[in-house]
Amino acid sequence: MIVRLRQPKREVTIDGPCSVNQLLDQLSMNRESFLVIRNGTLVPGDGRLDDSDQIEIRPVISGG
Amino acid sequence: MVASVSKCRVCREPAIIDLPRHNANFCAEHLLQLCRRQVEKAIADHDMLSLDDRILVAVSGGKDSLAIWDILLELGYRAEGLYIGLGIGDYSDESGGYAQRFADERGLTLRTIDLRGEYGYDVPTAAKVTKRVPCSACGMSKRHLFDEAARAGGYDVVVTGHNLDDEAAVLFGNALRWDVEYLARQLPVLPARDGFPKKVKPLVRLTEREMAAWCIVRGIDYQVEECPMAVGNKHLGYKEALNSIERQSPGSKSAFYLNFIERMAPILASHSRAAAGELVACSSCGAPTTEPDSGDAPVCGFCRLRGRVAGHDPVPVELVLHGGARTAYRAARLAAGSAASPGATADGRTAQ
Ligand code: SF4
Ligand SMILES: [Zn+2]
Ligand SMILES: [Zn+2]
């Protein structure tokens, strides 16, 4: 699946299927600091992601 | 295939988010309900707002300020926005666009101030000239202009979008130094005094992750990219540290901050030094400021900053960034130029 990342904007390809929590763990991302959006909708930690999904991992912490 | 196996704690419909600190999952509707209730509780507990207050929301174009504006309107408050153009390159241009679109789409009043257009300087230039970190000139300019706008516009109270993560990180920083003076003043409400407006933080019971979720569920488009000046700063480091602890033991952040407010702040109250001396009007702009010892005409910090910096040639953002922040800024600009960068790292923040 193609995963869009931010800060800065970029894309990585990850082999699916997997759960949201597995995806974040694989990328060493803390679940507290990110949300995962599939095709425009939020997905909880145990939500399943497939190769055909459009995924965005959105960072939620800001330093301002 | 089912979207997820987890169910909303309230209605048992499929969940869209897990909130470990509540040991529960929520659907969109009940996530919004939870956020609204936490804001209502913060407002009630600390006597922040009343329904006939004229409220000025400090709007940055980021998730927190747009979310609190949205929530206050939903709860029936009369709130207008103020956006300050800080002149931080593309970041400021984009942020202003998000704020303006949010207001336009909803027919809301958004006031705007452009630092360079109206005061002759911007944040990167102020940082370069004063040789101080950009956030220091930025914070002082924002505080001054929000205070002034509230006075001039007859607003009763200024609302800022500081959330639980922001406040916990500041608390963590103050506690690391046992800075009793700052600790004693770290409250979610600052009462009005001597010409300064009342300031309140209604999001202190909600995390950044919850605020981002609010925006996504409500279809609010906001500035996701970070201010380039913030990359690698201490505040972000504290937030990351607290989130590692939160990951291990959910609920730690809210216990740390909310129990501080409830149990520790009253003990420290007597340590908050009474406002040092009488305030007098700045001879240049009229804002309240401390009387100088020298017997010179009083000039507030903002006017002093402006006096040093205004008229200086604009300094590009990149010139005031150092180390990792500059590397990250360059990587972001490169990525903005090319659709995808194949070798990108996945740490979600700094390019290696
Ligand atoms: S990170 Fe610093 S420079 Fe950027 S908007 Fe926030 S206070 Fe201003
Ligand atoms: Zn529900
Ligand atoms: Zn002044």
Side-chain angles (χ1 to χ4, degrees):
Chain A
M1 64 187 89
I2 294 176
V3 179
R4 286 206 305 140
L5 306 172
R6 310 290 289 259
Q7 294 178 356
K9 286 181 188 159
R10 60 215 194 276
E11 289 182 357
V12 292
T13 304
I14 304 285
D15 289 333
C18 63
S19 75
V20 162
N21 282 341
Q22 285 166 345
L23 173 67
L24 293 176
D25 288 349
Q26 192 176 338
L27 295 170
S28 306
M29 289 173 164
N30 185 339
R31 294 167 202 179
E32 263 305 302
S33 307
F34 296 89
L35 285 169
V36 173
I37 303 169
R38 175 190 38 217
N39 311 325
T41 306
L42 281 174
V43 194
D46 63 358
R48 220 174 125 86
L49 306 172
D50 284 310
D51 276 333
S52 58
D53 288 332
Q54 300 274 338
I55 308 296
E56 178 191 338
I57 302 182
R58 187 174 293 192
V60 300
I61 75 170
S62 60
Chain B
M1 160 171 295
V2 287
S4 72
V5 288
S6 55
K7 302 255 181 287
C8 173
R9 172 161 93 184
V10 184
C11 68
R12 312 309 298 163
E13 290 295 311
I16 57 145
I17 192 167
D18 50 301
L19 297 182
R21 76 187 181 111
H22 293 291
N23 192 21
N25 305 299
F26 294 89
C27 71
E29 185 191 334
H30 291 112
L31 170 74
L32 299 184
Q33 182 187 69
L34 177 140
C35 292
R36 269 187 232 107
R37 286 183 177 169
Q38 293 295 331
V39 168
E40 286 176 312
K41 180 162 169 50
I43 291 174
D45 284 355
H46 301 286
D47 200 9
M48 289 183 176
L49 301 169
S50 70
L51 283 168
D52 41 47
D53 277 343
R54 281 195 66 216
I55 297 167
L56 185 64
V57 181
V59 176
S60 70
K63 63 187 187 317
D64 304 301
S65 57
L66 294 179
I68 188 55
W69 198 5
D70 190 39
I71 296 172
L72 290 178
L73 293 170
E74 270 211 328
L75 294 175
Y77 290 96
R78 300 190 298 159
E80 297 179 350
L82 171 61
Y83 171 81
I84 299 175
L86 302 164
I88 307 175
D90 299 343
Y91 169 77
S92 286
D93 298 340
E94 287 168 18
S95 303
Y98 285 108
Q100 196 61 60
R101 279 191 296 279
F102 177 88
D104 290 348
E105 284 163 14
R106 292 160 181 80
L108 306 174
T109 302
L110 178 69
R111 294 158 180 261
T112 60
I113 294 175
D114 183 65
L115 260 191
R116 178 154 287 287
E118 293 170 52
Y119 295 94
Y121 73 95
D122 52 45
V123 166
T125 308
K128 190 79 190 170
V129 173
T130 60
K131 300 194 179 68
R132 302 203 28 207
V133 290
C135 298
S136 132
C138 183
M140 115 104 72
S141 304
K142 285 191 287 196
R143 270 192 307 279
H144 176 87
L145 294 171
F146 281 116
D147 289 351
E148 187 177 82
R151 264 195 310 276
Y155 293 94
D156 299 297
V157 52
V158 173
V159 162
T160 59
H162 294 100
N163 56 43
L164 176 58
D165 293 66
D166 293 321
E167 295 304 298
V170 171
L171 176 59
F172 191 62
N174 288 339
L176 279 179
R177 293 185 301 277
W178 293 117
D179 192 328
V180 174
E181 180 67 16
Y182 277 115
L183 285 167
R185 277 187 279 146
Q186 211 199 324
L187 298 170
V189 173
L190 211 66
R193 76 162 185 111
D194 301 333
F196 289 110
K198 179 177 181 181
K199 287 181 204 158
V200 304
K201 301 171 180 173
L203 293 182
V204 290
R205 303 185 60 87
L206 289 160
T207 64
E208 301 211 279
R209 190 163 169 272
E210 289 152 9
M211 291 339 295
W214 172 280
C215 288
I216 292 163
V217 169
R218 292 277 292 161
I220 297 172
D221 224 2
Y222 64 88
Q223 171 69 293
V224 174
E225 298 306 314
E226 182 67 277
C227 173
M229 310 293 185
V231 175
N233 74 13
K234 259 193 215 161
H235 190 66
L236 267 178
Y238 295 156
K239 283 185 172 180
E240 278 162 10
L242 287 167
N243 273 351
S244 320
I245 297 170
E246 182 75 17
R247 171 78 206 277
Q248 298 294 319
S249 75
S252 297
K253 265 187 309 201
S254 64
F256 180 55
Y257 175 71
L258 297 174
N259 290 350
F260 167 80
I261 293 299
E262 194 187 311
R263 299 172 194 173
M264 206 57 208
I267 296 173
L268 288 170
S270 61
H271 292 263
S272 178
R273 251 186 281 133
E278 277 294 292
L279 295 183
V280 293
C282 166
S283 58
S284 169
C285 74
T289 185
T290 47
E291 181 133 41
D293 300 330
S294 58
D296 293 345
V299 180
C300 75
F302 176 80
C303 288
R304 270 182 273 135
L305 173 70
R306 193 183 162 195
R308 282 180 74 187
V309 180
H312 195 281
D313 283 343
V315 172
V317 171
E318 201 169 334
L319 286 189
V320 290
L321 299 175
H322 300 284
R326 186 181 286 202
T327 315
Y329 184 70
R330 288 189 178 142
R333 303 211 78 186
L334 265 176
S338 60
S341 51
T345 57
D347 78 310
R349 188 150 300 275
T350 346
Q352 300 292 297

